[in-house]
Short mmCIF file of all heavy atoms in Angstrom, two decimals:
data_model
loop_
_atom_site.label_atom_id
_atom_site.label_comp_id
_atom_site.label_asym_id
_atom_site.label_seq_id
_atom_site.Cartn_x
_atom_site.Cartn_y
_atom_site.Cartn_z
N ARG A 1 7.63 18.38 -16.03
CA ARG A 1 7.75 18.70 -17.48
C ARG A 1 7.65 17.48 -18.31
O ARG A 1 8.49 17.38 -19.28
CB ARG A 1 8.96 19.49 -17.78
CG ARG A 1 8.93 20.90 -17.06
CD ARG A 1 10.23 21.73 -17.25
NE ARG A 1 11.32 20.99 -16.65
CZ ARG A 1 11.60 21.03 -15.34
NH1 ARG A 1 10.86 21.78 -14.49
NH2 ARG A 1 12.72 20.44 -14.85
N ASN A 2 6.70 16.64 -18.03
CA ASN A 2 6.35 15.54 -18.98
C ASN A 2 4.87 15.76 -19.34
O ASN A 2 4.08 16.30 -18.70
CB ASN A 2 6.51 14.16 -18.27
CG ASN A 2 7.84 13.63 -18.28
OD1 ASN A 2 8.40 13.15 -19.24
ND2 ASN A 2 8.53 13.79 -17.06
N PRO A 3 4.53 15.31 -20.63
CA PRO A 3 3.14 15.55 -21.10
C PRO A 3 2.09 14.60 -20.55
O PRO A 3 1.38 13.88 -21.30
CB PRO A 3 3.29 15.42 -22.65
CG PRO A 3 4.35 14.40 -22.73
CD PRO A 3 5.33 14.64 -21.60
N PHE A 4 1.88 14.54 -19.24
CA PHE A 4 0.87 13.68 -18.65
C PHE A 4 -0.47 14.19 -19.15
O PHE A 4 -0.78 15.41 -19.45
CB PHE A 4 0.85 13.86 -17.15
CG PHE A 4 2.17 13.25 -16.51
CD1 PHE A 4 3.02 14.03 -15.78
CD2 PHE A 4 2.48 11.90 -16.70
CE1 PHE A 4 4.25 13.44 -15.29
CE2 PHE A 4 3.57 11.37 -16.13
CZ PHE A 4 4.45 12.18 -15.45
N PRO A 5 -1.41 13.32 -19.42
CA PRO A 5 -2.69 13.61 -20.13
C PRO A 5 -3.44 14.83 -19.62
O PRO A 5 -3.90 15.67 -20.36
CB PRO A 5 -3.43 12.36 -19.99
CG PRO A 5 -2.41 11.22 -19.92
CD PRO A 5 -1.31 11.85 -19.17
N ASP A 6 -3.63 14.84 -18.20
CA ASP A 6 -4.42 15.90 -17.71
C ASP A 6 -4.13 16.12 -16.20
O ASP A 6 -3.35 15.25 -15.64
CB ASP A 6 -5.91 15.70 -17.84
CG ASP A 6 -6.38 14.37 -17.39
OD1 ASP A 6 -6.00 13.96 -16.31
OD2 ASP A 6 -7.16 13.73 -18.08
N SER A 7 -4.61 17.05 -15.49
CA SER A 7 -4.32 17.30 -14.15
C SER A 7 -4.79 16.15 -13.22
O SER A 7 -4.18 15.86 -12.21
CB SER A 7 -5.04 18.64 -13.66
OG SER A 7 -6.40 18.55 -13.87
N THR A 8 -5.80 15.47 -13.62
CA THR A 8 -6.24 14.31 -12.85
C THR A 8 -5.23 13.24 -12.82
O THR A 8 -4.96 12.71 -11.73
CB THR A 8 -7.58 13.74 -13.42
OG1 THR A 8 -8.55 14.78 -13.49
CG2 THR A 8 -8.10 12.63 -12.58
N LYS A 9 -4.69 12.93 -13.91
CA LYS A 9 -3.65 11.96 -14.02
C LYS A 9 -2.44 12.35 -13.10
O LYS A 9 -1.85 11.55 -12.41
CB LYS A 9 -3.17 11.72 -15.49
CG LYS A 9 -4.18 10.96 -16.29
CD LYS A 9 -4.31 9.47 -15.79
CE LYS A 9 -5.26 8.73 -16.70
NZ LYS A 9 -5.47 7.40 -16.23
N GLN A 10 -2.05 13.67 -13.16
CA GLN A 10 -0.93 14.08 -12.41
C GLN A 10 -1.19 14.02 -10.93
O GLN A 10 -0.38 13.64 -10.16
CB GLN A 10 -0.62 15.56 -12.73
CG GLN A 10 -0.11 15.68 -14.24
CD GLN A 10 0.30 17.11 -14.51
OE1 GLN A 10 1.07 17.65 -13.76
NE2 GLN A 10 -0.05 17.65 -15.62
N GLU A 11 -2.46 14.25 -10.58
CA GLU A 11 -2.85 14.05 -9.22
C GLU A 11 -2.79 12.60 -8.73
O GLU A 11 -2.40 12.29 -7.59
CB GLU A 11 -4.30 14.66 -8.92
CG GLU A 11 -4.38 16.13 -8.98
CD GLU A 11 -5.80 16.62 -8.90
OE1 GLU A 11 -6.71 15.77 -8.76
OE2 GLU A 11 -6.04 17.78 -9.02
N GLU A 12 -3.18 11.67 -9.67
CA GLU A 12 -3.09 10.32 -9.29
C GLU A 12 -1.63 9.87 -9.05
O GLU A 12 -1.32 9.11 -8.13
CB GLU A 12 -3.63 9.40 -10.43
CG GLU A 12 -5.14 9.47 -10.58
CD GLU A 12 -5.59 8.76 -11.79
OE1 GLU A 12 -4.82 8.12 -12.49
OE2 GLU A 12 -6.85 8.77 -12.05
N HIS A 13 -0.66 10.46 -9.86
CA HIS A 13 0.76 10.14 -9.68
C HIS A 13 1.14 10.68 -8.28
O HIS A 13 1.87 9.92 -7.54
CB HIS A 13 1.58 10.80 -10.72
CG HIS A 13 1.40 10.33 -12.08
ND1 HIS A 13 1.12 8.96 -12.41
CD2 HIS A 13 1.33 10.90 -13.32
CE1 HIS A 13 0.97 8.80 -13.66
NE2 HIS A 13 1.07 9.92 -14.30
N ALA A 14 0.77 11.85 -7.99
CA ALA A 14 1.13 12.43 -6.71
C ALA A 14 0.56 11.59 -5.52
O ALA A 14 1.29 11.39 -4.57
CB ALA A 14 0.60 13.89 -6.56
N ASP A 15 -0.66 11.20 -5.66
CA ASP A 15 -1.27 10.38 -4.60
C ASP A 15 -0.51 9.14 -4.31
O ASP A 15 -0.32 8.68 -3.22
CB ASP A 15 -2.74 10.05 -4.96
CG ASP A 15 -3.68 11.31 -4.77
OD1 ASP A 15 -3.23 12.30 -4.19
OD2 ASP A 15 -4.79 11.22 -5.35
N SER A 16 -0.13 8.52 -5.41
CA SER A 16 0.61 7.23 -5.26
C SER A 16 1.84 7.46 -4.53
O SER A 16 2.29 6.64 -3.68
CB SER A 16 0.87 6.58 -6.63
OG SER A 16 -0.35 6.31 -7.30
N ILE A 17 2.61 8.54 -4.87
CA ILE A 17 3.85 8.84 -4.19
C ILE A 17 3.64 9.13 -2.76
O ILE A 17 4.47 8.71 -1.90
CB ILE A 17 4.55 9.96 -5.00
CG1 ILE A 17 4.93 9.52 -6.33
CG2 ILE A 17 5.88 10.38 -4.23
CD1 ILE A 17 5.33 10.62 -7.27
N GLU A 18 2.60 9.84 -2.45
CA GLU A 18 2.34 10.19 -1.03
C GLU A 18 2.09 8.94 -0.23
O GLU A 18 2.52 8.83 0.96
CB GLU A 18 1.11 11.10 -0.95
CG GLU A 18 1.45 12.57 -1.39
CD GLU A 18 0.19 13.39 -1.43
OE1 GLU A 18 -0.85 12.98 -0.99
OE2 GLU A 18 0.28 14.52 -1.91
N ARG A 19 1.41 7.88 -0.81
CA ARG A 19 1.17 6.71 -0.14
C ARG A 19 2.57 5.98 0.19
O ARG A 19 2.74 5.31 1.21
CB ARG A 19 0.26 5.77 -0.96
CG ARG A 19 -1.24 6.20 -0.85
CD ARG A 19 -2.09 5.10 -1.39
NE ARG A 19 -2.09 4.98 -2.81
CZ ARG A 19 -2.72 5.67 -3.67
NH1 ARG A 19 -3.54 6.71 -3.21
NH2 ARG A 19 -2.61 5.50 -4.93
N ILE A 20 3.51 6.11 -0.78
CA ILE A 20 4.79 5.56 -0.53
C ILE A 20 5.45 6.20 0.68
O ILE A 20 6.05 5.54 1.55
CB ILE A 20 5.70 5.74 -1.74
CG1 ILE A 20 5.24 4.88 -2.97
CG2 ILE A 20 7.15 5.34 -1.48
CD1 ILE A 20 5.95 5.14 -4.32
N GLU A 21 5.23 7.51 0.70
CA GLU A 21 5.90 8.29 1.83
C GLU A 21 5.22 7.79 3.17
O GLU A 21 6.02 7.57 4.13
CB GLU A 21 5.67 9.75 1.63
CG GLU A 21 6.07 10.66 2.82
CD GLU A 21 4.80 11.12 3.57
OE1 GLU A 21 3.81 11.36 2.97
OE2 GLU A 21 4.93 11.32 4.81
N THR A 22 3.97 7.59 3.19
CA THR A 22 3.35 7.14 4.43
C THR A 22 3.82 5.74 4.85
O THR A 22 4.08 5.48 5.97
CB THR A 22 1.79 7.15 4.25
OG1 THR A 22 1.33 8.52 3.93
CG2 THR A 22 1.06 6.68 5.59
N LEU A 23 3.83 4.89 3.78
CA LEU A 23 4.24 3.48 4.04
C LEU A 23 5.68 3.46 4.56
O LEU A 23 5.97 2.77 5.54
CB LEU A 23 4.14 2.67 2.83
CG LEU A 23 4.53 1.18 2.92
CD1 LEU A 23 3.57 0.50 3.80
CD2 LEU A 23 4.51 0.58 1.56
N TYR A 24 6.48 4.27 4.08
CA TYR A 24 7.96 4.43 4.49
C TYR A 24 8.10 4.80 5.92
O TYR A 24 8.80 4.16 6.73
CB TYR A 24 8.71 5.28 3.59
CG TYR A 24 10.15 5.46 3.93
CD1 TYR A 24 11.15 4.59 3.45
CD2 TYR A 24 10.58 6.50 4.80
CE1 TYR A 24 12.47 4.70 3.74
CE2 TYR A 24 11.94 6.62 5.15
CZ TYR A 24 12.86 5.66 4.61
OH TYR A 24 14.16 5.82 5.01
N LEU A 25 7.34 5.85 6.32
CA LEU A 25 7.40 6.27 7.70
C LEU A 25 6.94 5.29 8.68
O LEU A 25 7.44 5.10 9.74
CB LEU A 25 6.57 7.64 7.86
CG LEU A 25 7.22 8.84 7.17
CD1 LEU A 25 6.22 9.97 7.21
CD2 LEU A 25 8.52 9.19 7.79
N VAL A 26 5.85 4.59 8.33
CA VAL A 26 5.26 3.56 9.21
C VAL A 26 6.20 2.39 9.44
O VAL A 26 6.41 1.86 10.46
CB VAL A 26 3.91 3.05 8.66
CG1 VAL A 26 3.43 1.86 9.50
CG2 VAL A 26 2.87 4.14 8.77
N GLN A 27 6.87 2.05 8.34
CA GLN A 27 7.78 0.84 8.42
C GLN A 27 9.25 1.15 8.81
O GLN A 27 10.05 0.28 8.91
CB GLN A 27 7.77 0.18 7.04
CG GLN A 27 6.41 -0.50 6.80
CD GLN A 27 6.50 -1.35 5.51
OE1 GLN A 27 7.35 -1.24 4.72
NE2 GLN A 27 5.52 -2.15 5.36
N GLU A 28 9.51 2.41 9.00
CA GLU A 28 10.93 2.85 9.33
C GLU A 28 11.31 2.22 10.66
O GLU A 28 10.79 2.64 11.69
CB GLU A 28 11.09 4.29 9.35
CG GLU A 28 12.49 4.80 9.80
CD GLU A 28 13.51 4.27 8.92
OE1 GLU A 28 13.51 4.47 7.71
OE2 GLU A 28 14.35 3.47 9.40
N LYS A 29 12.19 1.14 10.68
CA LYS A 29 12.53 0.45 11.97
C LYS A 29 13.26 1.28 12.91
O LYS A 29 13.30 0.89 14.15
CB LYS A 29 13.23 -0.82 11.49
CG LYS A 29 12.45 -1.82 10.70
CD LYS A 29 13.26 -3.01 10.29
CE LYS A 29 12.45 -3.97 9.43
NZ LYS A 29 13.26 -5.15 9.05
N ASP A 30 13.97 2.21 12.46
CA ASP A 30 14.90 2.96 13.32
C ASP A 30 14.15 4.08 14.03
O ASP A 30 14.78 4.80 14.92
CB ASP A 30 16.09 3.61 12.52
CG ASP A 30 16.95 2.42 11.94
OD1 ASP A 30 17.09 1.40 12.56
OD2 ASP A 30 17.56 2.75 10.87
N LEU A 31 12.91 4.35 13.82
CA LEU A 31 12.20 5.39 14.49
C LEU A 31 11.75 4.92 15.84
O LEU A 31 11.11 3.93 16.00
CB LEU A 31 10.97 5.90 13.62
CG LEU A 31 11.22 6.77 12.50
CD1 LEU A 31 9.96 7.06 11.78
CD2 LEU A 31 11.89 8.07 12.91
N CYS A 32 12.04 5.70 16.85
CA CYS A 32 11.50 5.40 18.20
C CYS A 32 10.05 6.00 18.20
O CYS A 32 9.59 6.71 17.36
CB CYS A 32 12.36 6.12 19.27
SG CYS A 32 12.25 7.91 19.14
N CYS A 33 9.33 5.66 19.30
CA CYS A 33 7.95 6.03 19.46
C CYS A 33 7.77 7.58 19.38
O CYS A 33 6.84 8.05 18.68
CB CYS A 33 7.34 5.54 20.70
SG CYS A 33 7.23 3.73 20.72
N SER A 34 8.60 8.32 20.04
CA SER A 34 8.46 9.71 20.10
C SER A 34 8.72 10.33 18.70
O SER A 34 8.11 11.36 18.34
CB SER A 34 9.45 10.31 21.10
OG SER A 34 10.76 10.08 20.87
N CYS A 35 9.75 9.83 17.91
CA CYS A 35 10.07 10.34 16.65
C CYS A 35 8.89 10.05 15.75
O CYS A 35 8.55 10.91 14.90
CB CYS A 35 11.35 9.71 16.11
SG CYS A 35 12.86 10.29 16.95
N LEU A 36 8.34 8.82 15.74
CA LEU A 36 7.17 8.51 14.93
C LEU A 36 6.00 9.43 15.18
O LEU A 36 5.38 9.87 14.26
CB LEU A 36 6.83 7.01 15.14
CG LEU A 36 5.70 6.54 14.26
CD1 LEU A 36 6.04 6.62 12.83
CD2 LEU A 36 5.39 5.03 14.63
N LYS A 37 5.75 9.67 16.48
CA LYS A 37 4.65 10.62 16.87
C LYS A 37 4.89 11.95 16.22
O LYS A 37 3.99 12.60 15.73
CB LYS A 37 4.50 10.65 18.34
CG LYS A 37 3.32 11.44 18.70
CD LYS A 37 3.13 11.38 20.17
CE LYS A 37 1.86 12.20 20.67
NZ LYS A 37 1.70 12.18 22.17
N MET A 38 6.12 12.48 16.32
CA MET A 38 6.48 13.73 15.82
C MET A 38 6.23 13.84 14.30
O MET A 38 5.73 14.82 13.84
CB MET A 38 8.01 14.04 16.17
CG MET A 38 8.40 15.47 15.89
SD MET A 38 10.21 15.77 16.27
CE MET A 38 10.25 15.13 17.97
#
């Protein structure tokens, strides 16, 4: 509920956040190999 200019911009925000999520999972030191694969 913020007035982002258009849907494309909102998708850009979402894409950036998804990349954070991917980076976090890859760098999570406490994940064992099986958990990472899961």
